[in-house]
Amino acid sequence: MVNNFITSELNSLLNMQKDFFILKWNENEFYCSEHFEKLIGITAKEISEYKYIHYSLIPDNKGEEIFNAIKNNSFTDNNKTKQTDIEIIAGNDKTIWFREFVSKNTDNGKENYFSILFNITDFKNKEIELHQDISSKQELNKSKDKLISIISHDLRAPFSSLLGFAEILINEPNLPEDERIDYLKYIYEASQVQLQMVNHLLDWTRLQAGTIKYEPQRLDILDLINNSVSVLTGSVMRKNIKIIVDAEPGLFVNVDERLINQVITNLLSNAVKFTPESKKITITTGIYKNDMVEIIIADEGIGIAPEDHEKLFKIDTKFSKAGTAGERGTGLGLTLVKEIIEKHEGKIWFFSEVDKGSEFHFTLPKSDNTILIVEDDKFNKEIFFEVLSKNFTNSKITFCKNGFEALNSMLEKTPSILITKNNMELMKGTELVSTLRKKDQKNKSQIFIVDKEISEKDKREYDGYHVNDFLMEDISIESLTLLFEESLL
């Protein structure tokens, strides 16, 4: 409601202010600028009908308390204004924070209030984020303290036995062979568990500190799964467990190879550990919510009791139990798995039933097909775009003017296809391709060299980098279509 309190000139001036507002109000009237109305999505007339005017928009029924506190304020010479930070829920359900300064004016016995409001939403959001960050770090520190207490005991405990068995082996040369082998076996297995615990702790602390090397690249999830299965072949054969991999080839993820191998191997190792002999483990993959890939590792093992479900993934509980063949673990593996998956902006969850088995699900970012083209000629770029946008409908096409620009793009994300000239300013095509193959060691990226002049020496070098094909003629729709017709992803 705009009246003589807000003249057209003043209204125009106030409408130019994005974060500053003046209100005039009493119990029955409410006046503001048009810009304030637009910001909160409610008209001044509507606000004037609320019992506590704009304070009625404060959530959790706090508006009445603030309204009454202002009405009961004495507003003396030494206390002319009252300052309050208020949270308002706008008409579109958006939260807006204001710092309000209220003063009172009495005119002919009528009390009027003037409010100067500053929009402090950005500041308040950062303040809330800071408090949340401090709170999470305090909780993490508590978890670390508890973890140190647990780990200090678990790291120390086995050494008494290890030293005792070692002493027996040293001092009793006539020990029966079967006893000697039992002692050595215990020392070996206990040392393996302790080493694994130390490695898990080191990786976890590096992840927390952000110092662990993290190099995401475009990888086929099936290759990652097969790598982990091959690592555990010995354990699988000893227990006569059948592993069924139902993963479609060509499903790519953008991940750090070493870290995700660690995740899959850990989860698969747990499945093997808790699955009885002659049972099976199934690994499946699929698309999850369009932009993620879901991996499921399901076993026919002993399952996890309901009361133990909440103990998993927590650093300060260190839940561990022996496998079906007496296998031991550190109790830290799943905590590390969760940290790695979350670093990749994925999630992990599970379903489990005692004596029926467990299913662990986790998601990783899907790697979209990206075509990287090094080309600075406008006409050629148009031809590339016309051909590729028709043949590669699900791919993102990125153009770079030169090799250095392409190099930066490749370091950020491995392309599905690289199309480059051989002769470029400052950098040759062979240098660019060599850099890509160092990152793409399994030659998953397809590479095409488009240039009229390529020496035999360069061709031999390109062959060593497994380049897919060459186009040594003028670029045209026909020549490009022919080049790519057998290279669709």
Side-chain angles (χ1 to χ4, degrees):
M1 185 184 299
V2 179
N3 71 344
N4 57 1
F5 160 64
I6 299 181
T7 63
S8 59
E9 292 82 1
L10 181 57
N11 187 58
S12 298
L13 180 63
L14 291 176
N15 283 334
M16 295 171 63
Q17 308 302 314
K18 293 183 178 180
D19 300 314
F20 169 74
F21 308 94
I22 298 177
L23 315 178
K24 177 185 176 183
W25 56 273
N26 54 48
E27 290 185 357
N28 302 310
E29 298 173 305
F30 183 87
Y31 304 103
C32 66
S33 66
E34 292 173 0
H35 186 61
F36 184 78
E37 290 181 321
K38 289 177 182 177
L39 178 67
I40 64 171
I42 304 172
T43 66
K45 185 177 184 304
E46 289 172 316
I47 295 174
S48 68
E49 295 172 356
Y50 296 155
K51 186 174 182 180
Y52 307 112
I53 41 102
H54 61 295
Y55 299 110
S56 298
L57 302 173
I58 297 173
D60 302 326
N61 299 316
K62 294 179 181 177
E64 179 183 1
E65 180 184 341
I66 295 173
F67 179 83
N68 289 332
I70 291 170
K71 295 287 288 182
N72 295 329
N73 192 66
S74 57
F75 290 100
T76 62
D77 289 340
N78 295 326
N79 185 25
K80 290 184 178 181
T81 62
K82 181 173 177 59
Q83 176 187 328
T84 314
D85 286 355
I86 58 174
E87 175 190 15
I88 280 180
I89 306 299
N92 58 1
D93 291 329
K94 182 180 178 182
T95 298
I96 305 173
W97 281 91
F98 294 102
R99 179 154 293 166
E100 181 181 42
F101 298 87
V102 183
S103 61
K104 183 173 75 171
N105 172 261
T106 303
D107 185 16
N108 296 324
K110 183 179 180 181
E111 292 183 346
N112 288 313
Y113 295 87
F114 294 88
S115 293
I116 297 176
L117 273 64
F118 295 91
N119 188 340
I120 59 168
T121 304
D122 290 343
F123 167 78
K124 208 69 179 178
N125 287 340
K126 288 176 182 176
E127 184 181 58
I128 292 168
E129 286 175 13
L130 179 62
H131 284 307
Q132 289 173 341
D133 188 46
I134 291 170
S135 177
S136 66
K137 281 181 169 55
Q138 287 173 338
E139 286 299 315
L140 183 60
N141 283 334
K142 289 179 184 177
S143 297
K144 285 179 180 178
D145 291 342
K146 192 170 181 181
L147 173 69
I148 290 168
S149 174
I150 295 169
I151 295 303
S152 60
H153 171 267
D154 287 359
L155 282 174
R156 205 169 42 233
F159 282 100
S160 297
S161 299
L162 288 169
L163 291 170
F165 288 136
E167 188 176 359
I168 292 171
L169 290 168
I170 292 169
N171 296 328
E172 298 189 23
N174 298 322
L175 196 70
E177 184 66 12
D178 57 343
E179 285 189 40
R180 191 178 72 85
I181 290 174
D182 284 343
Y183 290 160
L184 286 171
K185 188 176 178 182
Y186 174 85
I187 291 172
Y188 176 74
E189 290 177 351
S191 298
Q192 274 193 320
V193 171
Q194 295 309 101
L195 178 61
Q196 188 181 43
M197 180 181 288
V198 170
N199 287 334
H200 282 170
L201 277 171
L202 286 172
D203 284 341
W204 182 80
T205 53
R206 286 170 187 157
L207 280 166
Q208 292 294 311
T211 58
I212 200 163
K213 199 172 183 181
Y214 176 64
E215 297 179 330
Q217 57 179 306
R218 186 174 184 268
L219 297 168
D220 192 325
I221 192 62
L222 183 57
D223 289 341
L224 293 169
I225 291 169
N226 287 336
N227 286 343
S228 296
V229 171
S230 65
V231 168
L232 297 167
T233 299
S235 302
V236 171
M237 290 178 67
R238 280 193 292 273
K239 297 181 80 170
N240 193 31
I241 291 171
K242 185 178 182 181
I243 294 184
I244 300 169
V245 179
D246 182 16
E248 185 179 343
L251 194 54
F252 288 87
V253 287
N254 190 45
V255 297
D256 182 289
E257 184 172 14
R258 185 183 70 84
L259 293 177
I260 296 305
N261 271 332
Q262 197 169 351
V263 165
I264 299 172
T265 301
N266 194 298
L267 291 172
L268 189 54
S269 175
N270 281 348
V272 172
K273 185 190 301 181
F274 298 115
T275 297
E277 292 185 5
S278 303
K279 295 286 188 177
K280 73 174 186 288
I281 296 168
T282 305
I283 306 171
T284 55
T285 62
I287 302 297
Y288 182 83
K289 293 186 177 178
N290 296 324
D291 59 348
M292 302 294 280
V293 171
E294 181 181 16
I295 301 94
I296 305 169
I297 299 177
D299 63 56
E300 297 178 341
I302 59 177
I304 304 166
E307 61 269 22
D308 293 328
H309 284 196
E310 63 180 24
K311 297 176 184 176
L312 271 65
F313 308 120
K314 292 186 178 178
I315 191 67
D316 57 346
T317 53
K318 209 181 83 60
F319 174 68
S320 180
K321 60 191 295 186
T324 56
E327 304 100 320
R328 297 172 61 199
T330 66
L332 297 174
L334 286 178
T335 302
L336 183 60
V337 161
K338 184 172 184 286
E339 290 281 347
I340 293 172
I341 289 170
E342 289 180 350
K343 187 170 184 66
H344 286 80
E345 298 184 351
K347 294 181 180 179
I348 183 168
W349 66 97
F350 71 98
F351 305 98
S352 187
E353 218 174 319
V354 174
D355 296 329
K356 289 189 177 180
S358 303
E359 270 189 21
F360 278 81
H361 299 236
F362 66 98
T363 57
L364 297 171
K366 180 184 172 187
S367 180
D368 294 325
N369 292 326
T370 303
I371 302 175
L372 182 62
I373 306 169
V374 186
E375 179 60 71
D376 57 357
D377 183 271
K378 183 180 179 182
F379 178 73
N380 287 345
K381 285 166 72 172
E382 288 175 355
I383 295 175
F384 273 122
F385 188 80
E386 182 174 345
V387 174
L388 294 171
S389 59
K390 288 180 181 177
N391 292 325
F392 299 86
T393 54
N394 295 320
S395 297
K396 178 184 177 183
I397 301 172
T398 301
F399 287 98
C400 292
K401 295 178 181 177
N402 53 57
F404 283 106
E405 195 175 307
L407 192 63
N408 290 329
S409 178
M410 284 192 322
L411 291 173
E412 188 175 316
K413 188 172 184 180
T414 309
S416 318
I417 295 178
L418 170 66
I419 303 169
T420 180
K421 293 179 177 178
N422 178 51
N423 297 305
M424 299 181 287
E425 291 184 8
L426 305 177
M427 179 185 290
K428 285 198 68 175
T430 51
E431 295 176 80
L432 183 64
V433 171
S434 170
T435 303
L436 174 58
R437 285 307 188 217
K438 285 177 184 176
K439 189 176 181 185
D440 174 40
Q441 294 182 2
K442 294 182 180 177
N443 304 324
K444 293 290 185 181
S445 296
Q446 298 180 52
I447 301 175
F448 298 91
I449 310 300
V450 180
D451 209 318
K452 292 173 71 174
E453 296 181 8
I454 306 175
S455 68
E456 289 302 316
K457 180 185 174 184
D458 286 344
K459 271 195 170 185
R460 287 194 297 271
E461 189 172 351
Y462 282 126
D463 287 339
Y465 297 133
H466 302 281
V467 165
N468 293 76
D469 211 340
F470 300 90
L471 176 62
M472 299 177 63
E473 57 181 87
D474 290 331
I475 296 172
S476 66
I477 292 176
E478 293 77 16
S479 64
L480 286 178
T481 301
L482 184 64
L483 180 68
F484 298 132
E485 65 181 3
E486 294 182 355
S487 304
L488 292 176
L489 295 176

